[in-house]
Amino acid sequence: MSFIPQGANLINGNWVRSLDSFASQPVSGAPQSFSVATEEQVHQACVAAEAAFASFSQTSRQQRAELLNAIADEIEARGDAITEIGTSETGLPAARLQGERGRTTGQLRLFAQHILNGDYLDRRHDGALPDRQPLPRPDLKMVQRPVGPVAVFGASNFPLAFSTAGGDTASALAAGCPVVVKGHEAHPGTCEIVADAIRAAIEATKMPAGVFSLVQGNARHVGQTLVEHPCIKAVGFTGSLRGGRALFDLCAQRPEPIPFFAEMGSINPVFMLPGALAQRAQAIGQGWAGSLTMGVGQFCTNPGIAIVLSGSDADAFVKASQEALAGVTAQTMLTDGIANAYRQGCQRMRGVSGVTALLTSEGLERSGSPYLLETTAANWLANPELGHEVFGPLGMVVRAESPEEMLQIAEALEGQLTCTLQLEDSDIPAAQDLLPTLERKAGRLLVNGFPTGVEVCDSMVHGGPYPASTNFGATSVGTMAIRRFVRPVCYQNFPDALLPADLSTN
């Protein structure tokens, strides 16, 4: 059955409209009208979340696990309708959305199991030492507790896994924090149908309605009001550096500053070491091109630059990359704005002195095609703008003249989500020289792979030093993401009857 959006905001369990509206911009099908949440409606959602926190924060891990699994069930029950409206709004292939839906429900179930295991609680107990000299020690217990209502901003490039019921929402609910989601205007209908799945799961598990709300709108006041609301105690964001920095500043300027956990992308450099290119130049070039163009380059882990040592092996790599990229046809991008920004970014990079265009394209309207540029390490180092992300399938080859220049590039990098080493055994000494620097630059380091494709598991880190993210100690993917929405509380000389259940039962 097809899903027909109401075009309303979900606030405290009720679908609510406003006088102001915006129209979706689907790739196919007729545009739909969606209400822009008013400041009062955002206020109501935040107040409802605060009211729900009183009881939701006291629920058992078993109860929250049941909620997360129920949300996954409700999403799966709407699977075909989600795919239909998602492909219409975003232009993403049905298979991609089906896979992303599986990742979304998998994340929810993973967090359900994670909180049942209880490791994230980091429970500690230092028993009383009444006879210790010169001073006795009190009984001390510590456990992680939820921080309060969380605001989540949906991402443009992952309408399911990083959006309404994505990793930020899943980890916050798992922690015991109500969530208010600001839906992304690129796919408001997809946001609405997933919100309806969450609403149904909340009703089925008898949780407070204010545990989840969805506010929509393409107006600045929606996000600003949400971030500045005193009931909100943390924010999760996936998006551009410009948008993330603006929200980060709002969080810091509040009377009560709150943590802002943003993932804002990076250029994800790949260091092609000489032994690897001598053995596998063609395969590496083809693999890089495939990763670069996956999803029309609209991944935050897109490997935007390849660093090589000049020579015949580098020439072979560039030729293989160029041939592979030339065979990629234009594809639909997520929005007109993203497509326009990509074309402008390609022209801006191409216009920098010392940059050579090896492959260009003329994408039309909402489509994007690969670009391949080349420059020297010296020129890259002299032009910091070449280290900025262009969201889309733009690749840049940076030719270094020596291992020392490769290291200089590593040292000049801003914070990254990933850094990759393509190597053979003969490259181990060179990799050892690079590694101490790369460890400081990125949250995830790869060998002989490509960074597109982020596994959802216990050990994943999807974050990094600024500007890749605003908090290098956090991740937005994997079970460690729950740490963003809990804080340690110590209980001194507490009787068991007053302790949180997660302490009193252990």
Side-chain angles (χ1 to χ4, degrees), residues 239 241 263-272 288 291-292 297 299-307 345 348-349 375 380-381 383-398 408-420 438 441-444 446 450-452 462-469:
L241 174 59
E263 185 271 284
M264 299 179 293
S266 61
I267 58 173
N268 305 295
V270 183
F271 290 82
M272 312 289 188
W288 182 55
S291 182
L292 193 67
F299 290 105
C300 46
T301 52
N302 198 39
I305 68 168
I307 300 98
R348 184 176 64 252
M349 292 294 185
T375 192
W380 190 91
L381 290 165
N383 293 278
E385 64 267 33
L386 296 179
H388 295 168
E389 180 188 27
V390 173
F391 194 59
L394 166 67
M396 179 173 292
V397 177
V398 181
Q408 289 174 23
I409 291 171
E411 291 170 342
L413 289 168
E414 294 184 314
Q416 304 291 321
L417 294 172
T418 72
C419 289
T420 300
L438 298 185
K441 299 294 183 175
R444 177 163 61 111
L446 298 83
F450 294 98
T452 41
H462 190 61
Y466 184 86
S469 67

Side-chain angles (χ1 to χ4, degrees), residues 339-359:
N340 288 332
Y342 170 64
R343 287 191 287 271
Q344 292 169 7
C346 290
Q347 292 299 325
R348 184 176 64 252
M349 292 294 185
R350 183 182 179 183
V352 175
S353 177
V355 173
T356 302
L358 302 179
L359 178 69

Side-chain angles (χ1 to χ4, degrees), residues 48-362:
E50 176 65 23
F53 181 67
S55 58
F56 188 57
S57 64
Q58 303 302 314
T59 54
S60 68
R61 286 175 280 137
Q62 179 65 45
Q63 289 173 305
R64 297 198 301 279
E66 290 172 359
L67 171 62
L68 294 169
N69 285 320
I71 295 172
D73 290 341
E74 294 289 348
I75 290 174
E76 288 169 349
R78 294 162 174 77
D80 290 343
I82 290 173
T83 299
E84 181 180 358
I85 193 167
T87 54
S88 170
E89 288 187 322
T90 67
L92 293 172
R96 153 71 192 273
L97 281 172
Q98 290 161 0
E100 190 181 331
R101 186 177 73 240
R103 173 175 170 171
T104 304
T105 57
Q107 287 176 157
L108 289 159
R109 299 191 193 282
L110 177 64
F111 275 107
Q113 185 58 52
H114 183 64
I115 59 175
L116 289 177
N117 293 340
D119 292 343
Y120 80 98
L121 294 168
D122 193 20
R123 288 173 285 212
R124 305 182 185 199
H125 182 200
D126 291 294
L129 297 175
D131 298 325
R132 189 183 68 176
Q133 295 298 326
L135 294 172
R137 185 177 75 188
D139 184 81
L140 299 166
K141 295 185 176 74
M142 189 276 282
V143 70
Q144 301 288 340
R145 299 294 294 151
V147 300
V150 172
V152 170
F153 285 74
S156 65
N157 58 339
F158 279 85
L160 299 175
F162 277 85
S163 193
T164 309
D168 288 349
T169 297
S171 54
L173 292 176
C177 300
V179 173
V180 181
V181 168
K182 162 62 174 69
H184 199 286
E185 56 270 23
H187 42 78
T190 309
C191 292
E192 184 178 313
I193 190 173
V194 175
D196 188 64
I198 299 174
R199 178 201 56 77
I202 287 173
E203 290 183 356
T205 55
K206 297 180 170 53
M207 291 291 181
V211 161
F212 176 86
S213 290
L214 170 72
V215 293
Q216 304 231 57
N218 56 356
R220 184 183 179 199
H221 75 261
V222 181
Q224 181 171 345
T225 303
L226 180 58
V227 167
E228 293 180 336
H229 199 281
C231 290
I232 297 298
K233 301 303 178 185
V235 179
F237 172 86
T238 302
S240 68
L241 174 59
R242 179 180 178 184
R245 184 55 197 252
L247 293 173
F248 175 80
D249 291 343
L250 287 177
C251 287
Q253 292 162 7
R254 287 174 32 140
E256 176 202 5
I258 58 173
F260 180 72
F261 300 102
E263 185 271 284
M264 299 179 293
S266 61
I267 58 173
N268 305 295
V270 183
F271 290 82
M272 312 289 188
L273 299 184
L277 286 189
Q279 295 291 321
R280 302 180 277 116
Q282 183 172 2
I284 295 174
Q286 292 171 343
W288 182 55
S291 182
L292 193 67
T293 56
M294 183 182 295
V296 207
Q298 297 169 117
F299 290 105
C300 46
T301 52
N302 198 39
I305 68 168
I307 300 98
V308 300
L309 280 180
S310 289
S312 58
D313 294 329
D315 295 341
F317 162 78
V318 171
K319 180 180 179 182
S321 302
Q322 188 173 357
E323 290 176 349
L325 291 171
V328 177
T329 58
Q331 295 174 295
T332 301
M333 301 192 80
L334 291 161
T335 69
D336 292 330
I338 288 173
N340 288 332
Y342 170 64
R343 287 191 287 271
Q344 292 169 7
C346 290
Q347 292 299 325
R348 184 176 64 252
M349 292 294 185
R350 183 182 179 183
V352 175
S353 177
V355 173
T356 302
L358 302 179
L359 178 69
T360 63
S361 58
E362 293 296 332

